[in-house]
Amino acid sequence: MRIVMGAQNCGFGPVSELVAVSRQLVAHERVFVGDGVAAVFARRNADAFDAMYDTSGLSESTRSAAIEDLLRGSDHVVSVMDAELVLRSVVAGRPVAMVDSLFSFWQLTRPLTEILDLCTAMPRSRFAAADQHLSGLTPHERIVAAHLLATHSVVQNFPGVTERAADLAALGGGSRLRVTGSIVDIEGLRDVVRTAEPDYDVLINIGGFKNFLLDFDVNNEYVRLIHRWIPDLLRDWPRFRRVLVCGGPFGEGREQTLRAAGGRADCRLLRQRELLQVAATAPDYLMAPGLTTLHESITLGRLPLAIHEQHYAHVFTMRALDGTLFGRMGGRFTDVVPCHPLPEDDVAGTAALVELAGRIREDQQLYAEYRKTFNERIEQYRALTPPQRRQGIEELGELLNGAPTHSVMTEILGAPDAA
């Protein structure tokens, strides 16, 4: 079976989940198509696919024609939160599975019934006509619409998922929805050498970073704040002599090394399985609160410390997990500016976080508070006993568990000998 696969071009979360799903489908021909930061990650993990089509830099007409050609030659499509790929698949008459780790996050400004009515009445002769028909939907609503349009809907468990799944089921649109546990690279996680000597004293994983607003050179105040803080981390924590800062801003020729107080911090973008090896062995692990990274850490039996929020989805995640040790312990920008207004909106909320990171980086008093409160969080984290850490992992595992992703995808695509 030839499977065309794509992911939302928003950070590394969606495409890392796509890589995880793809690695479980080795009996099939797996063809990646995508652009931007999703293509960057896919290229770094090219062994997860049999063929790759990077559409970055193509004109819209050329890109559209290339995707349509791939879809015509496919047997099935897997989309991780890429609503456009689902829509193109439906128009092309190809079965498509919509995979989503943020199902309960999407904000709706109109009733589900209205979205369902639009999907039911959508013309399916041409992509342009279908796209225009749904043009009044917000980006979040288009993702929910993609679930209603897709042949199969696969969602990773999280607080609020059960309730939203019930809402879709009540409309008759959720009958194909399956709730899974962690969408992670199970084989890669299983194969890490946990007894290996660590190369680093601490891993700081800031993820892909780039999304609809954030970029490596524009609206990058968060990365610039991290860049200012890393030398101070080396000064404040003499035990951190070897630090790895891993993430999208340090790939594609952007690697650098920072030194201070006899320590060094390597800022790099690793291949996914190399990163998993570091995550399994580094004594301490700090991470931007992305769900894929968190699920990987849980599977490794490592309780990480969440660092400050990059975008509004991170705020949503930390609020939803506030009742857990991970949620209570994590760093937040409200530690620094408790009364900073945050619009309850994905774009506006993310823009407010960009502005806040810039204020903290430039204001000496705010930066001193950021440094102090961050150190307090790290100190609390490092003081946890092994039993406390195990309990923190177990409560996350119980909250986020679900059916194995591999068994769900096998059910959808069929066993390899039936492909």
Side-chain angles (χ1 to χ4, degrees):
M1 179 183 290
R2 192 169 196 246
I3 306 173
V4 170
M5 315 184 78
Q8 183 187 52
N9 184 26
C10 194
F12 282 164
V15 67
S16 65
E17 291 162 13
L18 183 71
V19 165
V21 170
S22 183
R23 290 193 188 280
Q24 298 170 358
L25 303 175
V26 292
H28 304 285
E29 182 185 358
R30 304 154 300 169
V31 180
F32 170 84
V33 61
D35 60 8
V37 71
V40 169
F41 188 93
R43 286 198 303 271
R44 281 295 176 110
N45 300 276
D47 59 323
F49 304 99
D50 300 298
M52 293 190 58
Y53 291 85
D54 184 349
T55 59
S56 304
L58 298 181
S59 67
E60 183 55 37
S61 60
T62 302
R63 172 182 170 274
S64 183
I67 296 173
E68 288 175 4
D69 184 59
L70 285 174
L71 292 175
R72 279 193 296 270
S74 70
D75 299 301
H76 211 293
V77 181
V78 173
S79 167
V80 180
M81 291 183 276
D82 185 341
E84 179 189 325
L85 184 57
V86 171
L87 190 56
R88 288 185 179 277
S89 303
V90 170
V91 171
R94 292 296 180 268
V96 54
M98 173 69 164
V99 181
D100 191 347
S101 63
L102 290 170
F103 186 61
S104 59
F105 168 66
W106 311 118
Q107 298 171 319
L108 306 182
T109 62
R110 66 193 72 209
L112 272 173
T113 51
E114 186 176 332
I115 298 175
L116 178 60
D117 289 343
L118 279 170
C119 291
T120 302
M122 187 186 77
R124 304 189 179 205
S125 56
R126 295 181 302 111
F127 170 73
D131 187 50
Q132 177 61 36
H133 182 79
L134 301 180
S135 62
L137 297 179
T138 67
H140 283 212
E141 289 167 344
R142 286 177 76 97
I143 292 179
V144 174
H147 280 283
L148 295 169
L149 289 166
T151 317
H152 306 280
S153 176
V154 180
V155 301
Q156 182 176 259
N157 197 11
F158 196 72
V161 162
T162 301
E163 292 78 4
R164 174 155 285 174
D167 290 341
L168 262 68
L171 296 177
S175 59
R176 299 182 302 278
L177 190 147
R178 297 165 171 85
V179 178
T180 75
S182 300
I183 305 175
V184 293
D185 179 7
I186 295 297
E187 180 181 309
L189 288 161
R190 185 182 62 241
D191 290 346
V192 297
V193 183
R194 299 168 192 261
T195 58
E197 188 69 21
D199 293 324
Y200 295 96
D201 301 311
V202 60
L203 166 62
I204 302 172
N205 184 356
I206 67 170
F209 184 71
K210 188 173 180 178
N211 65 11
F212 54 85
L213 179 66
L214 309 178
D215 207 334
F216 304 150
D217 300 308
V218 180
N219 294 324
N220 63 346
E221 292 292 351
Y222 186 97
V223 175
R224 298 175 71 187
L225 175 60
I226 292 291
H227 190 277
R228 176 177 180 180
W229 168 72
I230 291 296
D232 286 330
L233 174 75
L234 296 173
R235 297 183 185 102
D236 294 339
W237 292 90
R239 68 174 295 111
F240 295 160
R241 296 298 81 197
R242 303 166 302 168
V243 177
L244 174 63
V245 187
C246 187
F250 308 117
E252 302 290 300
R254 296 169 180 265
E255 301 88 351
Q256 57 184 303
T257 297
L258 304 176
R259 291 181 172 86
R264 61 177 285 166
D266 297 325
C267 303
R268 302 168 57 198
L269 174 61
L270 299 184
R271 293 177 64 251
Q272 180 70 357
R273 289 188 169 179
E274 293 173 344
L275 178 60
L276 294 178
Q277 181 61 54
V278 178
T281 56
D284 294 300
Y285 187 11
L286 281 59
M287 52 159 269
L291 285 179
T292 303
T293 309
L294 180 58
H295 277 273
E296 290 169 346
S297 186
I298 294 169
T299 306
L300 288 170
R302 304 296 309 279
L303 181 69
L305 174 68
I307 62 177
H308 304 75
E309 313 96 322
Q310 294 172 5
H311 48 71
Y312 185 74
H314 285 168
V315 175
F316 171 83
T317 295
M318 294 303 289
R319 286 175 180 172
L321 299 178
D322 193 48
T324 67
L325 177 60
F326 172 82
R328 294 190 302 272
M329 190 174 51
R332 291 173 170 82
F333 277 125
T334 51
D335 293 341
V336 186
V337 186
C339 299
H340 183 76
L342 181 69
E344 300 300 330
D345 175 80
D346 197 4
V347 177
T350 298
L353 290 170
V354 172
E355 186 270 335
L356 181 54
R359 281 180 54 199
I360 293 170
R361 184 181 64 84
E362 296 170 357
D363 186 294
Q364 293 297 336
Q365 184 175 349
L366 286 178
Y367 178 76
E369 185 67 13
Y370 168 86
R371 181 177 175 182
K372 178 180 76 72
T373 55
F374 208 163
N375 280 338
E376 290 170 353
R377 296 283 187 175
I378 295 172
E379 186 173 3
Q380 293 166 2
Y381 169 69
R382 297 205 69 257
L384 292 174
T385 65
Q388 288 174 322
R389 294 191 181 216
R390 283 195 299 271
Q391 182 179 355
I393 294 165
E394 289 170 1
E395 66 180 354
L396 286 171
E398 292 171 359
L399 184 66
L400 306 176
N401 67 0
T405 307
H406 176 67
S407 64
V408 170
M409 296 306 298
T410 299
E411 180 185 348
I412 289 172
L413 298 172
D417 58 359

